[in-house]
Amino acid sequence: MKVSTPLTSGWTVSLNTARDHPGQAPDALFDAEIPATVPGCVHTDLLAASLIPDPFLDSNEREVAWVGRADWSYRTSLDAAADSAGHERTDLVFDGLDTVAEIRLGGARLGATRNMHRSYRYDVTGRTGGGAGTLLEVGFTSAYQEAERVRDLLGPRPNAYPEPFNFVRKMASSFGWDWGPTLVTAGIWRPARLEHWSVARLAEVRPEVTVGAGGTGRVRLHIAVERTGSGAGRVLRAVVRVGDAEAGVELAPGAATATVDVDVPDAGLWWPRGYGDQRLYDCALTLSDTVSPDEPLDVWERRIGFRTVELDTSADAAGSGFTLVVNGVRTFVRGVNWIPDDALITRVDPARYRRRLTRAAAAGVDLVRVWGGGVYESESFYDICDELGLMVWQDFLFACAAYPEEEPLRSEVEAEARENVVRLMPHASLVLWNGNNENLWGFRDWDWEQRLAGASWGEGYYLDVLPRVVAATDPTRPYWAGSPWSGSRDVHPNAPGHGTHHSWEVWNRLDYAAYRDDTPRFVAEFGWQAPPAYTTLRRAVTDDPLTPGSPGVLHHQKAEDGNGKLARGLAPHFPAPADFDAWHYLTQVNQVRAIATGVEHWRANWPHCAGVVLWQLNDCWPVTSWAAIDGDEREKPLYHELGRLYADRLLVLRPRDGRLVLSAVNQSASPWSCEARVSRLDVHGTVLVERTTPVDVPARAVTDIELPDALTTPDDPRRELVVADADGLRAHYFAVPDRSFAYPPAEAVVKVTREDGAAQVAVTAHTLLRDLLLQADRLHPDARADRGLVTLLPGETVDITVSGWDGEAPEALRDALRSVNGSGAPIHFGDASG
């Protein structure tokens, strides 16, 4: 049986750069061997040794920039215990090296790498057990040096950012992004091990999982084996078991490949969350030889799920669609974009994946797009998505730049793509391969063509290499050339009426009301910025005073003119914020309002629009960004709003063709029938006009309900609003911006009840309270509230559960509770009773 020995202990890292190298390396690093963690990276090792400051705090990112420009060596000793232990063959295996590395064992060179996104295997039989120990050394050259070398060789290419990430196969966002720091890492970033084996091993297993017309699940396993000399003449047997079903195949002497099919009658299906159960089956492949059939040589085990997935891009009168069809059911995607969850990616472990993805599912998310400037995530990410029913849209790793198609990159790209398709294809959650992020669009609209002057830029990857790899390797899933992409060279790549669309004119140049001006077929990116939670920002920035424009706050705002766009986004809706706390609150409100405007409009236009994918779920450090969950894992108000916007049933009051209509959106599998009460109220809560109307919406459909003029035409729009209630859902409509609405001063009664380390906060409105928010982290850094923004009519009460706060010092609620009344000032209430 194959035996694996993890290589996790005894590692050191040392600076491999001359003293006269430009930079700020501390003297203590020269000639020093620093304890190292594997898997890990140089930055985390230096942090653990207190040799660099935390790059996430203040402007320390600049202070550690030298680390990415330096060369480093990782070393450990392999003693006799690491030798073959009676096996015929020993391999040294690296699942990931970041990025440009040379591997030496006992002083002899084994090989070199220049791709973070591939694994590497070296035959070291008989070379690992020398006497006092055999030195294993992995020397890393700065990724900058390799990228600049390739750029000099192939010529410059356009890039949305100043760093040369498009010339090296490394996580692009390591070089900085409009939400992330520039921290160019190096290290053994995924597990390293010795594998000892005899006779034969499984070199590759590629499962094609399908469902037949009669409901029979089929797993077709394409197997590749590697043999030792003694195994060359043997008959091998591969047996696969899926649930209770079993099948096998023999490999004749010398044969290196085989295919085996196993059928599962009446297979339980895997469904996206909200559509059905996530049935998963254990799939195990055992390799043995006929000499000792009961002694396995190697075993491959995964969980698989039976489901079909199609991408419907059929032409129609409005253009061409983009609808994911799973198990024959057309879906409206409620998605989020995923970026690397930490700029120092090796700190992301399975527990962190589970926290983040579980929160996504709890907010109604059903698809996660793994964006092309990051990494192919670790196995546990996709395992968790399988369990939670989160569909995965997987980008190939190209983003926002022109990529050369010549060597030394071309062969790396093809090998990387094939390896990762094979690695990830067992996962039922994976529903789409996507060629790139914004590069086809960039060529058309970002002035690339003239600057390239005929040089290659990546089109051959997206329209030739990658679709060929997917078709040959994983024919069970659709491939799309890019996001955005219209599906044709003859149609603008970001045309709203075709394929996938990125909506960035809104935020960059237009007010969020402009979301209603377009109805794309599928919105793969859209977003609006807001700062992180107050405690997150205060931990990362020590500015005194803290202001929107103070140095640390600006350093943690990476978007071009980001604060200018925040200010211009506030201006149509609110007066200028009176202070930092009002600015912080109002920008978070504006983020929620912007996203709600887009999602409500697009969901109300199903099936013409078949999905939205928010930019973005998560952050990789403390920063002002488009994220719903900030870099310290605190939820912004947007996170809670997603729970409403992405629920199966949604009630929307929206302008359409100059009139206000009530849209009832039903993405559930059951019809929705109830009564809606629609009221026109004055600012004091007095009902001026009220009507009831039936709501009848078929399953996975939308119904628009026309409303009478008496409800929708205010006598005084500055002092009136429209409210619709149905089945516990509510929608509001204010005809004028907040800055023009005559809000009364906010008044409420607040009651705090303590219960087992948590607190229940009941807020009863004496006046209209628009977008009331309890900022729980202002009560305690660990506190979390179970809801975000809520609008109360006079006399209504909301109960907010606050975990991580025991209700002590309830007067702290005076700073933690705010509303739009008074443009973000604290609400007025008497003594909070506890």
Side-chain angles (χ1 to χ4, degrees):
M1 182 70 171
K2 182 176 73 178
V3 175
S4 290
T5 304
L7 299 178
T8 56
S9 61
W11 287 95
T12 62
V13 62
S14 60
L15 184 63
N16 214 18
T17 296
R19 287 180 183 271
D20 60 357
H21 183 273
Q24 301 170 335
D27 288 341
L29 263 176
F30 290 97
D31 305 317
E33 295 282 339
I34 309 302
T37 298
V38 171
C41 75
V42 172
H43 288 78
T44 53
D45 291 331
L46 296 179
L47 278 168
S50 301
L51 289 168
I52 59 171
D54 187 339
F56 286 9
L57 305 184
D58 291 318
S59 60
N60 290 344
E61 172 197 354
R62 299 189 186 116
E63 303 302 313
V64 303
W66 63 269
V67 176
R69 290 279 182 183
D71 299 339
W72 302 90
S73 287
Y74 278 78
R75 298 182 182 90
T76 193
S77 181
L78 305 181
D79 60 25
D83 210 350
S84 60
H87 288 81
E88 295 177 82
R89 171 84 172 261
T90 297
D91 290 343
L92 172 63
V93 183
F94 294 101
D95 286 341
L97 295 172
D98 176 16
T99 292
V100 185
E102 183 180 73
I103 301 94
R104 290 182 173 272
L105 183 63
R109 185 178 187 272
L110 293 179
T113 74
R114 52 169 167 259
N115 192 329
M116 179 182 184
H117 309 300
R118 294 179 60 190
S119 63
Y120 300 92
R121 178 181 293 267
Y122 304 98
D123 181 353
V124 294
T125 306
R127 301 172 62 180
T128 62
T134 303
L135 181 66
L136 172 61
E137 181 175 8
V138 185
F140 290 94
T141 300
S142 167
Y144 278 111
Q145 182 174 322
E146 170 71 5
E148 290 160 359
R149 181 188 74 82
V150 175
R151 183 178 60 193
D152 291 344
L153 177 69
L154 301 180
R157 299 293 196 281
N159 185 339
Y161 298 94
E163 304 276 10
F165 63 80
N166 47 330
F167 295 94
V168 63
R169 297 308 298 159
K170 175 174 172 56
M171 185 172 90
S173 59
S174 291
F175 292 87
W177 222 261
D178 57 2
W179 37 257
T182 300
L183 295 171
V184 178
T185 52
I188 304 170
W189 81 287
R190 280 186 165 157
R193 62 189 176 278
L194 292 172
E195 286 189 357
H196 313 291
W197 55 281
S198 298
V199 182
R201 73 174 185 91
L202 292 166
E204 180 180 283
V205 180
R206 185 165 56 87
E208 293 179 16
V209 182
T210 56
V211 182
T216 296
R218 167 164 287 192
V219 182
R220 170 165 290 177
L221 287 178
H222 302 271
I223 305 162
V225 300
E226 184 180 9
R227 300 172 184 254
T228 64
S230 73
R234 297 200 192 188
V235 175
L236 303 178
R237 181 163 179 78
V239 176
V240 60
R241 176 178 288 274
V242 180
D244 295 328
E246 184 178 294
V249 65
E250 287 191 348
L251 288 80
T257 60
T259 301
V260 59
D261 293 330
V262 59
D263 291 339
V264 179
D266 300 318
L269 297 181
W270 182 94
W271 289 93
R273 62 162 302 281
Y275 290 84
D277 295 333
Q278 289 76 51
R279 178 68 188 274
L280 295 169
Y281 289 80
D282 292 327
C283 178
L285 174 67
T286 302
L287 180 70
S288 60
D289 68 1
T290 54
V291 175
S292 304
D294 296 327
E295 298 178 11
L297 300 170
D298 201 356
V299 174
W300 177 93
E301 296 176 301
R302 297 291 188 277
R303 287 185 308 173
I304 56 97
F306 294 103
R307 52 98 183 103
T308 63
V309 57
E310 302 165 88
L311 182 60
D312 184 355
T313 59
S314 303
D316 56 27
S320 55
F322 189 93
T323 304
L324 279 169
V325 184
V326 182
N327 298 330
V329 176
R330 302 173 70 81
T331 67
F332 181 95
V333 165
R334 290 160 278 182
V336 288
N337 280 275
W338 172 275
I339 65 169
D341 205 50
D342 195 313
L344 303 179
I345 190 69
T346 59
R347 298 196 293 202
V348 182
D349 60 11
R352 186 157 160 179
Y353 279 138
R354 187 169 294 278
R355 290 195 303 273
R356 197 72 71 253
L357 293 169
T358 299
R359 287 186 189 177
V365 170
D366 60 17
L367 179 143
V368 179
R369 176 192 173 205
V370 182
W371 166 78
V375 296
Y376 306 99
E377 297 289 345
S378 297
E379 207 70 35
S380 56
F381 174 92
Y382 304 93
D383 286 338
I384 295 163
C385 289
D386 290 343
E387 296 169 14
L388 295 176
L390 292 172
M391 295 181 284
V392 175
W393 160 332
Q394 178 67 58
D395 279 14
F396 288 101
L397 301 184
F398 303 89
C400 300
Y403 285 79
E405 297 176 41
E406 295 80 22
E407 296 296 352
L409 290 174
R410 187 179 185 87
S411 58
E412 286 289 346
V413 164
E414 187 157 2
E416 166 197 316
R418 192 184 188 284
E419 177 176 335
N420 284 283
V421 169
V422 171
R423 178 171 73 90
L424 299 181
M425 61 188 290
H427 293 282
S429 56
L430 181 57
V431 297
L432 182 70
W433 294 105
N434 179 60
N436 75 89
N437 177 75
E438 298 191 343
N439 295 343
L440 293 160
W441 181 22
F443 181 77
R444 177 69 70 91
D445 278 2
W446 299 352
D447 195 31
W448 286 7
E449 189 168 6
Q450 183 176 359
R451 294 159 61 192
L452 283 163
S456 65
W457 56 276
E459 183 181 42
Y461 294 145
Y462 320 133
L463 300 180
D464 178 26
V465 173
L466 297 175
R468 281 195 292 105
V469 168
V470 172
T473 310
D474 184 17
T476 68
R477 288 179 179 84
Y479 169 86
W480 193 245
S483 189
W485 177 235
S486 63
S488 169
R489 287 187 175 97
D490 299 327
V491 178
H492 190 284
N494 201 31
H498 299 265
T500 52
H501 178 71
H502 288 194
S503 181
W504 285 117
E505 283 296 294
V506 179
W507 165 251
N508 281 324
R509 296 176 183 84
L510 301 174
D511 180 59
Y512 60 72
Y515 279 137
R516 300 191 185 107
D517 296 342
D518 286 314
T519 309
R521 309 309 299 267
F522 190 103
V523 187
E525 282 190 19
F526 72 106
W528 198 272
Q529 271 201 352
Y534 178 82
T535 300
T536 298
L537 192 59
R538 186 75 275 184
R539 182 187 74 83
V541 175
T542 59
D543 295 351
D544 189 13
L546 190 68
T547 70
S550 60
V553 173
L554 289 180
H555 185 77
H556 289 255
Q557 162 63 279
K558 294 295 187 179
E560 181 180 2
D561 191 29
N563 273 20
K565 291 172 184 176
L566 285 172
R568 291 190 291 277
L570 286 175
H573 304 280
F574 301 103
D579 54 27
F580 178 84
D581 288 343
W583 174 85
H584 184 267
Y585 163 79
L586 289 174
T587 50
Q588 296 215 359
V589 169
N590 228 33
Q591 182 184 41
V592 169
R593 299 267 192 91
I595 300 310
T597 299
V599 174
E600 289 178 344
H601 171 66
W602 296 319
R603 285 197 67 182
N605 279 281
W606 159 262
H608 175 90
C609 179
V612 295
V613 187
L614 172 75
W615 187 271
Q616 63 214 66
L617 174 67
N618 56 326
D619 270 329
C620 66
W621 76 313
V623 66
T624 296
S625 84
W626 300 264
I629 301 174
D630 74 22
D632 281 4
E633 303 194 52
R634 293 186 175 90
E635 301 98 342
K636 297 183 188 179
L638 174 59
Y639 169 80
H640 297 284
E641 181 70 358
L642 287 180
R644 180 184 76 86
L645 295 172
Y646 281 1
D648 281 350
R649 291 174 176 171
L650 177 67
L651 208 59
V652 182
L653 283 166
R654 65 188 182 104
R656 191 197 65 184
D657 300 328
R659 294 185 56 81
L660 190 66
V661 300
L662 178 64
S663 294
V665 182
N666 179 26
Q667 283 295 325
S668 74
S670 303
W672 182 17
S673 296
C674 64
E675 274 200 342
R677 185 179 74 252
V678 187
S679 309
R680 178 160 63 88
L681 311 171
D682 70 14
V683 71
H684 303 294
T686 302
V687 176
L688 305 175
V689 180
E690 187 170 275
R691 299 283 190 276
T692 59
T693 182
V695 175
D696 290 298
V697 193
R700 312 205 192 283
V702 178
T703 296
D704 286 341
I705 301 166
E706 301 291 338
L707 301 175
D709 289 345
L711 278 175
T712 62
T713 306
D715 296 324
D716 184 352
R718 295 183 66 252
R719 291 178 170 81
E720 296 176 22
L721 65 152
V722 179
V723 177
D725 291 286
D727 253 4
L729 304 180
R730 172 172 283 182
H732 303 93
Y733 182 76
F734 292 76
V736 298
D738 296 81
R739 64 182 305 147
S740 301
F741 195 80
Y743 290 109
E747 295 183 2
V749 171
V750 179
K751 183 176 182 179
V752 180
T753 305
R754 303 174 188 175
E755 44 186 54
D756 298 328
Q760 195 79 12
V761 180
V763 181
T764 300
H766 281 187
T767 60
L768 170 68
L769 291 181
R770 188 171 186 193
D771 286 333
L772 173 72
L773 177 66
L774 195 164
Q775 298 169 309
D777 64 294
R778 288 178 178 256
L779 302 173
H780 188 280
D782 297 331
R784 300 287 191 275
D786 69 342
R787 63 172 60 229
L789 301 176
V790 59
T791 293
L792 299 177
L793 302 177
E796 292 183 334
T797 298
V798 63
D799 291 318
I800 306 170
T801 300
V802 182
S803 59
W805 179 57
D806 60 8
E808 291 288 344
E811 63 273 9
L813 286 165
R814 297 188 185 281
D815 289 330
L817 278 168
R818 292 177 181 267
S819 76
V820 162
N821 306 49
S823 296
I827 68 172
H828 176 74
F829 57 88
D831 290 339
S833 56

